[in-house]
Amino acid sequence: MGGCDKIASKFRSKTKTQPGKKERVARRAPPSTSVPGPKLAIILDDLGNDKEAAEAVFSLHYPLTISVLPYHAHSTEIAEEAQRRGLEVMLHLPMRAIANETPEAHQLETGMSSEAVARELSEMLENVPTADGVNNHEGSLATADAKLMGELMPLLKQRDLFFVG
């Protein structure tokens, strides 16, 4: 199954409750993925600060995935509204970048202990409680760190969350 198929399959009905997560609601199914040929997954990220931008995204009425930064003014509210509307929600996980971007107040860093990685991830997921997956935010240095990613991936698997790099 290709990457787009994996993301698209997440749109299908989900009703199991994850530990520490609200019950997931049935999602609208995307267009059939059984047709051969290219597929497209659309992920809109950096949501969390601007409710009007989120409303504009919601009004598109396409099977989109939104990715929400934790700890921003409207992160939880936007994530919950997106889920209510049947959209896929991802945690836009802040991670250390190679370049000199301004770091988030909370982000995954190279050299973090496994306990610190687990704690940061758990707290971020509490702030974006409807997340079905994770993608990185400015995380080029962090995603290149095999140790950090080796700590993160089992945590995501335990929570049944997918990762898009």
Side-chain angles (χ1 to χ4, degrees):
M1 185 182 287
C4 290
D5 288 334
K6 287 179 185 175
I7 292 171
S9 71
K10 291 287 186 171
F11 278 99
R12 290 175 176 75
S13 178
K14 296 172 133 188
T15 56
K16 67 180 179 176
T17 302
Q18 297 295 320
K21 290 183 78 171
K22 295 181 181 179
E23 185 171 320
R24 297 179 185 185
V25 297
R27 304 206 189 296
R28 64 180 167 214
S32 174
T33 58
S34 62
V35 177
K39 303 198 178 33
L40 176 66
I42 301 172
I43 302 170
L44 301 175
D45 63 17
D46 289 342
L47 291 169
N49 265 332
D50 189 338
K51 284 174 54 175
E52 288 180 19
E55 284 297 327
V57 169
F58 298 154
S59 71
L60 294 174
H61 303 293
Y62 288 101
L64 303 170
T65 298
I66 67 160
S67 193
V68 180
L69 285 161
Y71 309 121
H72 285 252
H74 304 287
S75 298
T76 303
E77 180 182 357
I78 289 170
E80 288 175 344
E81 180 62 17
Q83 182 193 44
R84 189 186 71 71
R85 292 175 182 238
L87 297 178
E88 186 83 32
V89 178
M90 295 175 67
L91 167 65
H92 198 35
L93 180 64
M95 302 174 83
R96 174 59 71 188
I98 291 174
N100 292 326
E101 288 96 355
T102 303
E104 294 286 324
H106 297 273
Q107 66 181 22
L108 297 188
E109 301 277 353
T110 58
M112 287 180 101
S113 70
S114 58
E115 294 81 16
V117 171
R119 182 178 56 252
E120 285 290 338
L121 177 65
S122 181
E123 290 172 2
M124 289 180 194
L125 287 167
E126 286 177 25
N127 195 252
V128 183
T130 61
D132 293 303
V134 173
N135 70 329
N136 75 55
H137 173 66
E138 298 182 356
S140 51
L141 185 63
T143 57
D145 183 329
K147 182 182 179 307
L148 176 59
M149 296 306 289
E151 298 288 345
L152 178 61
M153 291 300 134
L155 296 170
L156 297 179
K157 185 175 182 176
Q158 287 171 4
R159 294 173 179 263
D160 193 30
L161 299 172
F162 62 91
F163 182 84
V164 176

